[in-house]
Amino acid sequence: MFKRKLVLFIVCIALVCSSLVIAKAAPAYEITASSSTLKRGDTVSFTISVSGTSKTKSLGAVVAFDTNVFEFVSGEMLVTGAMLTDFKDGVGVAAFTSETDVNGDIASFVLKVKSDADFGEATVGAQVNVGGVTELVENTVEVICQHSYGEWTQHNDTQHKQSCECGDVKYANHTWNNGEVVTPATHTTVGSMKYTCTGCGATKNTEIPKDSAHAYGAIEQHNDTQHKQSCECGDVKYANHTWNNGEVVTPATHTTEGEMQYTCTGCGVNKKAIIPVMTDHVYGECEQHNETQHKQFCVCGDVKYSDHTWNDGEIVTPATYETKGEKKYTCTECGETKTEEIPVLEKPVTPEESPKPEKPDASETPDDQEKNPQTGDTLTFTLVLFALAAVGVICVITLAKKKNIKA
C-alpha cells in the first residue's frame, strides 16, 4: 500500500512539473458516454480521448460527477506501453519511461445511477492533464423515469388521470359502463340513468325521457263481461274477459245438475255455469247377478244386465295321463269366476317295429349287389335255382340207371 501511494505521489509530482513546461501544442480533449438517457439503477460508461497532442511521459484524469446522482463503479487507463497505470476512486494516472504518443482513447470509467437519483439532466466531467496541458471536459446525460403510474383518479367530467412519482401525469377519457336505471321514466315523469367510469369510478347521471306510450297498470275487473287497465295519466283501457276452459266443480248426474267454474286469464275473476242433467243413464260399476250375467245400476233406479265376458283363463291344476286338471276363468267386468275340468291326457301310441333289412354279403361288390336282386326277388331267384338243381340231379340218376341196365 505504501509503495502504491509513493508511486502515485511521484506521478502527481511529475504531472505538476510537466504542467510548468510550456506545451508545444494545444491538445483537444473529449469525453463521450455510452448512453445519453439513463434510468435509475442503470450503469453508463464514459471514455476520455485526446487528439492533437505531442508526445508525453505522463498523463492523468480526475473524474467529477454529482454524488447525489451517481456512484463510481470502476475505471481503466487505455494507454499502452506505460510503466505505471492506475485508476481508483475516480483518479487515473499513467507514466512512461520515454516520450510516448498518447493520441486517442486514454481512459474509461463506469458510473451507476443511484436508485434515488433525481430525474433530469446530470453533468459528468474529468480534469485531464496530458503533456502539461490541463483541461476540464464534460458531458451531459439525462436520468429519466421508468414511469410507474398509480391508479386512475377523476380529473374532470370527461377525463381521468394517472400520476407517476416523477411528476408525470397521463390523461385519458372516461370509459362509461352500460349504466343502470335509478328512476324509471313513466308516462308523466322523466327518469334517471346513472353511468360509472370503469377506470376511475367517476359517475354521471342522465335523464330518461318520458314514456310516450301509456303505462298501464295491472288488469282488474270492471264488470261481469270486461276488465280494465288504468294509466297514471288517467287513461283507462277496457277489454273483454278471456275465459279459460273451465273446471268441473260438481259433476252432473242422471238426476241432478252439475256446476262448472271459468276463470279470466287476465284479471282472475271467476264465473260459474250450470251443467245440465245427463239425458243418458249413468250406470255404476258392474256387479255379479248370477253365473251367466252381471248388472249395473243407474241413480234413477234403472238396471242393465250383460253376459259375463270371460278372460282366457288360467290353469289351476294341470291334467296328467291318470288325473283330470282344472282351469279358472274370470269375468273382466265384475270379477266373477268359474272353473272348468281339463280331461285326462291321452297316452301317445307307440308305432310297430319294421323288419330289419338283410345285410349284403361282404364279398359282393357294389356291382354284384346291383346285379343280384334283394328281398322278394332274391327269394324267387333262389327257389328257381333249387328247382333247376333238383331236375339236374334227377336227370343224372336216371342216366346212371340206364347205363346200369345196359351193362
Side-chain angles (χ1 to χ4, degrees):
M1 181 63 70
F2 175 74
K3 290 181 179 181
R4 177 184 179 84
K5 290 183 178 179
L6 179 61
V7 172
L8 289 175
F9 178 73
I10 294 171
V11 172
C12 288
I13 291 175
L15 290 174
V16 172
C17 292
S18 64
S19 65
L20 298 176
V21 180
I22 298 175
K24 297 178 181 180
Y29 300 137
E30 184 181 11
I31 183 170
T32 57
S34 59
S35 176
S36 60
T37 56
L38 308 170
K39 299 187 293 294
R40 286 175 173 175
D42 285 353
T43 56
V44 57
S45 176
F46 294 89
T47 303
I48 302 170
S49 60
V50 61
S51 62
T53 185
S54 58
K55 295 180 178 181
T56 184
K57 285 187 176 183
S58 62
L59 59 87
V62 179
V63 178
F65 55 86
D66 186 348
T67 56
N68 291 323
V69 179
F70 298 103
E71 60 184 37
F72 185 81
V73 177
S74 64
E76 179 184 9
M77 299 304 292
L78 303 178
V79 294
T80 59
M83 70 171 182
L84 170 67
T85 58
D86 188 67
F87 207 130
K88 183 178 181 182
D89 298 331
V91 178
V93 295
F96 303 89
T97 57
S98 61
E99 295 286 333
T100 304
D101 184 1
V102 293
N103 286 302
D105 296 338
I106 61 172
S108 68
F109 58 92
V110 177
L111 301 180
K112 181 178 181 180
V113 182
K114 290 185 174 182
S115 60
D116 58 350
D118 293 333
F119 299 113
E121 291 186 347
T123 301
V124 177
Q127 190 78 27
V128 185
N129 184 291
V130 178
V133 179
T134 301
E135 184 178 339
L136 176 64
V137 290
E138 294 179 328
N139 197 343
T140 301
V141 294
E142 184 181 6
V143 179
I144 62 174
C145 178
Q146 190 173 13
H147 296 298
S148 177
Y149 294 102
E151 295 183 355
W152 289 103
T153 58
Q154 183 176 4
H155 175 59
N156 54 33
D157 291 341
T158 58
Q159 287 187 316
H160 45 227
K161 63 182 180 180
Q162 280 180 303
S163 301
C164 179
E165 59 180 348
C166 70
D168 188 74
V169 180
K170 182 169 63 174
Y171 299 91
N173 292 331
H174 290 307
T175 52
W176 303 110
N177 64 3
N178 294 327
E180 59 180 327
V181 176
V182 178
T183 306
T186 67
H187 188 51
T188 56
T189 60
V190 296
S192 176
M193 192 84 172
K194 175 184 171 184
Y195 296 88
T196 302
C197 174
T198 58
C200 67
T203 60
K204 70 174 182 178
N205 291 323
T206 59
E207 186 180 89
I208 304 174
K210 293 179 182 179
D211 192 349
S212 58
H214 290 291
Y216 294 105
I219 301 174
E220 56 183 314
Q221 182 181 5
H222 174 58
N223 53 32
D224 291 341
T225 58
Q226 287 187 316
H227 46 231
K228 63 182 180 180
Q229 285 178 286
S230 301
C231 178
E232 58 184 347
C233 70
D235 187 74
V236 180
K237 180 173 66 173
Y238 299 92
N240 292 331
H241 290 307
T242 52
W243 303 110
N244 64 3
N245 294 327
E247 60 179 332
V248 176
V249 178
T250 305
T253 68
H254 188 51
T255 57
T256 61
E257 294 177 339
E259 186 178 70
M260 193 84 170
Q261 178 175 285
Y262 297 89
T263 301
C264 175
T265 58
C267 66
V269 68
N270 297 322
K271 74 172 183 178
K272 294 181 179 179
I274 293 175
I275 304 174
V277 173
M278 301 180 67
T279 56
D280 295 331
H281 291 291
V282 181
Y283 294 105
E285 295 182 355
C286 289
E287 56 182 278
Q288 182 185 4
H289 175 59
N290 54 33
E291 294 180 353
T292 59
Q293 286 187 319
H294 45 236
K295 59 186 177 181
Q296 291 175 282
F297 292 94
C298 177
V299 291
C300 68
D302 187 73
V303 182
K304 180 173 68 174
Y305 299 93
S306 302
D307 291 338
H308 290 307
T309 52
W310 304 109
N311 64 3
D312 295 333
E314 59 179 330
I315 296 174
V316 178
T317 303
T320 66
Y321 295 123
E322 289 79 19
T323 60
K324 297 178 179 179
E326 186 180 67
K327 190 171 186 178
K328 183 176 78 172
Y329 296 87
T330 303
C331 175
T332 59
E333 301 296 331
C334 68
E336 172 67 2
T337 61
K338 70 175 182 178
T339 57
E340 289 186 357
E341 187 179 83
I342 302 174
V344 174
L345 299 177
E346 294 183 3
K347 293 183 179 181
V349 178
T350 304
E352 295 181 0
E353 295 183 359
S354 301
K356 295 182 181 180
E358 295 182 1
K359 292 183 180 180
D361 189 351
S363 61
E364 293 181 358
T365 63
D367 293 339
D368 294 335
Q369 292 177 6
E370 290 180 1
K371 293 177 181 180
N372 296 328
Q374 300 293 325
T375 62
D377 293 337
T378 301
L379 180 60
T380 303
F381 183 71
T382 302
L383 294 175
V384 171
L385 289 177
F386 277 117
L388 291 176
V391 172
V393 171
I394 294 173
C395 291
V396 171
I397 295 172
T398 303
L399 291 176
K401 286 181 177 183
K402 286 183 178 182
K403 286 181 179 182
N404 290 329
I405 293 173
K406 289 180 180 181

